[in-house]
Structure formats: structure tokens, C-alpha cells
Amino acid sequence: MKSFCIIGLGRFGRALAETLAAAKKEVLVIDSDEKNIEMIADSVDSAILGDCTEEAVLRAAGAAEYDCVALCISENINDSVMATILLRELGAKYILARAADERHARVLEKLGADRVVLPESDIGRRVGLALSHDGVQQYMEFSEDTAIVEMDVPARWVGKTLLELDVRKKMNINVITVRKKGVHKKGISVDPKAKFGEGDAVTVIGQKDDIRKMLSHLRG
């Protein structure tokens, strides 16, 4: 995705807009609070003051023409629902919507949101997973189905190579970086014939279910 329309400039929406703008993506923001618009106007391509529940505002902004519309208003559920309906009717290509709770999330999904996020719940799950498995440094959800984990090399991997472990076939995961003990810079390429040492760290990517199975197997 190269272009994004961010609707709602609370902490979540603003952080999302600034991150995408810093990544050189085309970013349009829409918010009904003039102060919010003024604070971010210089950081994005376009900033529009308007009510996202008004079809005329969304149409004039060309919201549906962007690769992704991120609906970041969850405090006012009625506005969130109305905006989702309007965006779908206008033919938005992809709608990402923030929900206040599980019930709100189910409503947005039924209304046509392509992806619904609950930031607080998502963060809680990631932190919980990292805390519940020794050696896991970071857990990141890359997409709805895929996760990336940075972790200490498991004891049973020490002294073995990727060729010997064959984790791609046996666990359906891929090792994408290796950091040797005492070296802060991660390796870009992974040598399948190099032996893992105690204190090394790896970053792996795979389906969420496969990642969980791997962690349970290695730490269980």
C-alpha cells in the first residue's frame, strides 16, 4: 500500500499518520478538531478539517481513492459505524478500523471493515506472549495471520546449524536474522551452515499458530 487516508487524530491515529508519513507514504488525514489538524498538517501530504460522518466530506477528500482508509475513531461508536458504512458505499479499497471493544469489532466487521484492531488488547496479547515464554524479546504481529518473534537461541539449538535443525520443514517457520553474542548488529543474511552459540539471538517469521507451537515446543 502506498497511499493512506487516516480518519481521526487521537493518539492512535496521529501515531499511525506520522509513522506512515515518515516511511514516505502518501498520507491524507481528516479530523473534526482544528487543533489536531494544525498539529500534524506540516507532517503529512494533506490535512482536511471535516466530519467523517458526512458523505460530502469523504467524497470531496477522495477518501475511497486511497489504498487504505484507517478509521481511527473508536470513542464515538455511532460515528465509527456511520463512517464505515459510508466508506464501503463509496467503494473504499481497504478499510482498517479501530474498535473500542469486542462487540464494537464484530459490528465493524459485519459492516464491511477489512481489518479491525483493538490496540490495547493487541498490545496486551503481545506482551503476555513475550512474558510467558522465557527468552522471547519481542513479539510482533506482521499481519492478521503472520507473526515475527525475536528470541534467544533455544538451548537445544546451540551447537547445531539451520541445515541440521531444518526448522522450515519441521516447524514451518523461517529464521530471517541472527545476532551473535556480543554483536549488537543483526545479520542481514543467515548462514545455514553456521552453528548457533549460547547467547545468540534469532528473529523468526511464520504463521501465528506455528509460532505458538514452536515456542511451546522449545520452552515446554
Side-chain angles (χ1 to χ4, degrees):
M1 297 182 181
K2 297 181 179 180
S3 60
F4 298 82
C5 172
I6 312 298
I7 299 175
L9 294 173
R11 286 183 297 177
F12 179 78
R14 183 177 178 183
L16 181 60
E18 290 177 339
T19 300
L20 290 169
K24 306 302 181 182
K25 303 296 183 179
E26 181 183 356
V27 178
L28 159 72
V29 297
I30 302 174
D31 195 275
S32 58
D33 189 321
E34 187 173 359
K35 291 182 179 179
N36 289 338
I37 292 295
E38 292 175 350
M39 289 175 64
I40 201 172
D42 292 336
S43 302
V44 298
D45 297 282
S46 303
I48 294 177
L49 178 66
D51 185 349
C52 67
T53 65
E54 295 290 339
E55 180 179 348
V57 171
L58 298 177
R59 190 181 294 277
E65 300 173 11
Y66 286 75
D67 294 331
C68 173
V69 179
L71 189 57
C72 303
I73 52 172
S74 60
E75 294 79 8
N76 189 318
I77 295 178
N78 289 336
D79 285 357
S80 174
V81 167
M82 180 58 67
T84 302
I85 293 173
L86 289 174
L87 288 167
R88 184 52 66 201
E89 290 179 347
L90 289 171
K93 301 173 186 177
Y94 188 94
I95 301 173
L96 181 150
R98 179 185 180 182
D101 52 40
E102 294 290 346
R103 182 179 296 179
H104 186 195
R106 290 196 296 271
V107 170
L108 293 175
E109 288 172 350
K110 289 182 179 180
L111 291 175
D114 296 284
R115 183 178 179 185
V116 179
V117 297
L118 293 93
E120 291 78 8
S121 297
D122 292 342
I123 291 172
R125 281 193 291 269
R126 292 199 297 270
V127 173
L129 186 57
L131 291 175
S132 63
H133 293 84
D134 292 339
V136 173
Q137 300 171 18
Q138 290 191 60
Y139 175 85
M140 298 163 283
E141 295 183 353
F142 188 70
S143 68
E144 292 184 15
D145 303 315
T146 308
I148 298 176
V149 173
E150 184 177 359
M151 65 182 190
D152 298 334
V153 166
R156 63 185 67 184
W157 287 17
V158 174
K160 298 180 180 179
T161 68
L162 273 178
L163 284 177
E164 294 172 320
L165 294 168
D166 199 12
V167 294
R168 180 182 296 179
K169 181 178 180 180
K170 294 179 180 178
M171 298 183 180
N172 199 31
I173 63 167
N174 287 291
V175 175
I176 55 177
T177 67
V178 176
R179 186 174 73 243
K180 304 301 291 183
K181 182 179 180 181
V183 178
H184 296 291
K185 184 178 181 181
K186 296 183 179 71
I188 297 177
S189 60
V190 179
D191 184 353
K193 297 181 180 179
K195 292 184 178 182
F196 288 113
E198 186 175 351
D200 292 350
V202 295
T203 303
V204 303
I205 186 171
Q207 297 294 302
K208 291 179 182 178
D209 287 342
D210 293 323
I211 291 289
R212 293 188 182 97
K213 289 177 183 178
M214 176 202 70
L215 292 173
S216 296
H217 173 71
L218 294 175
R219 310 301 177 186

